[in-house]
Amino acid sequence: MAREDAEPGTVRPGGRTARVRESVLRAAGDALAEHGFDGLDLADVARRAEVGKTTVYRRWSTPTGLIADLLHDMAEQSSPRTDTGSLAGDLRANARLVVTTLTDPRQGALFKSVIAAATCDPRTAEALHRFYAIRVTEWSGCVTDAVGRGELPPGTDPDEVIRAVSAPLYYRLLASGDPLDEAAADRAAEAAVAAARAGAYVR
């Protein structure tokens, strides 16, 4: 039985409920990519998912509740970190994955919509922060491994290194409009490696 005090959309379902959740989250992602946060309507999501409106309203209550669950699901479904055996190889793989995601027609538009919503909606911001915290933690092991191999100084902050890889890529997406391509990914990774080796991220 689902907990009555649980946050809407956060109880892990099974069976038919899982299929309904999958359909609704897919429909929500499509709607966000097409119309942005301001155009996200629960009735429209229900129609796209071919489920009853009452089901969507009862389970997620609000668009922000739906976005929170969507981000939680995206974090769980994201690709695991790559282990190439070197820090440079691992961070290059991370940067290229970020670029692939942000340049995908659907995923890129979805992230832009959610990030825009997070600037003015605290609950969406909290869900977005939680999503990125999960992804940073997933990849921070490559920095910990690099410290263990002697590639980086002891005390290097793994999370800060991973954030340093993606930061310039998100800047290109949201601010500068400069090309987001493999070359940009590789430069971001190389810069993070150089800074980390120089001790810039030692706590």
Side-chain angles (χ1 to χ4, degrees), residues 5-20:
D5 61 343
E7 188 80 1
T10 60
V11 177
R12 294 183 63 82
R16 179 182 179 279
T17 306
R19 291 191 295 274
V20 168

Side-chain angles (χ1 to χ4, degrees), residues 12-25 59-60:
R12 294 183 63 82
R16 179 182 179 279
T17 306
R19 291 191 295 274
V20 168
R21 177 175 180 257
E22 181 182 358
S23 297
V24 170
L25 294 185
R59 181 172 176 78
W60 288 277

Side-chain angles (χ1 to χ4, degrees), residues 23-24 27-28 31 40-57 60 66:
S23 297
V24 170
L40 185 63
D41 177 74
L42 295 188
D44 176 55
V45 170
R47 179 187 59 77
R48 289 169 181 259
E50 299 182 343
V51 301
K53 287 190 294 184
T54 55
T55 298
V56 176
Y57 281 99
W60 288 277
L66 186 53

Side-chain angles (χ1 to χ4, degrees), residues 12 21-22 25 70-80 107 131 134-135:
R12 294 183 63 82
R21 177 175 180 257
E22 181 182 358
L25 294 185
L70 175 63
L71 288 169
H72 181 77
D73 183 69
M74 288 169 60
E76 288 191 332
Q77 300 301 323
S78 294
S79 301
Q107 291 286 85
F131 169 84
I134 292 170
R135 295 308 295 151

Side-chain angles (χ1 to χ4, degrees), residues 18-180:
R19 291 191 295 274
V20 168
R21 177 175 180 257
E22 181 182 358
S23 297
V24 170
L25 294 185
R26 182 170 58 251
D30 290 342
L32 272 173
E34 292 175 22
H35 304 299
F37 177 75
D38 289 341
L40 185 63
D41 177 74
L42 295 188
D44 176 55
V45 170
R47 179 187 59 77
R48 289 169 181 259
E50 299 182 343
V51 301
K53 287 190 294 184
T54 55
T55 298
V56 176
Y57 281 99
R58 183 175 62 249
R59 181 172 176 78
W60 288 277
S61 302
T62 64
T64 51
L66 186 53
I67 289 177
D69 198 23
L70 175 63
L71 288 169
H72 181 77
D73 183 69
M74 288 169 60
E76 288 191 332
Q77 300 301 323
S78 294
S79 301
R81 81 171 177 95
T82 300
D83 185 358
T84 66
S86 74
L87 179 67
D90 291 352
L91 296 191
R92 188 180 306 113
N94 175 259
R96 290 183 178 184
L97 177 61
V98 171
V99 166
T100 297
T101 300
L102 297 183
T103 56
D104 179 84
R106 181 180 183 275
Q107 291 286 85
L110 193 158
F111 273 108
K112 283 183 179 179
S113 295
V114 173
I115 291 169
T119 62
C120 57
D121 183 83
R123 189 174 175 193
T124 303
E126 181 183 352
L128 186 65
H129 298 161
R130 188 162 54 243
F131 169 84
Y132 283 117
I134 292 170
R135 295 308 295 151
V136 168
T137 299
E138 171 70 28
W139 281 85
S140 64
C142 69
V143 180
T144 304
D145 292 347
V147 173
R149 291 191 299 264
E151 288 189 69
L152 295 178
T156 297
D157 187 325
D159 291 356
E160 286 297 324
V161 176
I162 300 304
R163 294 188 191 108
V165 175
S166 59
L169 304 176
Y170 275 90
Y171 181 83
R172 286 171 177 258
L173 175 75
L174 299 171
S176 74
D178 293 330
L180 260 177

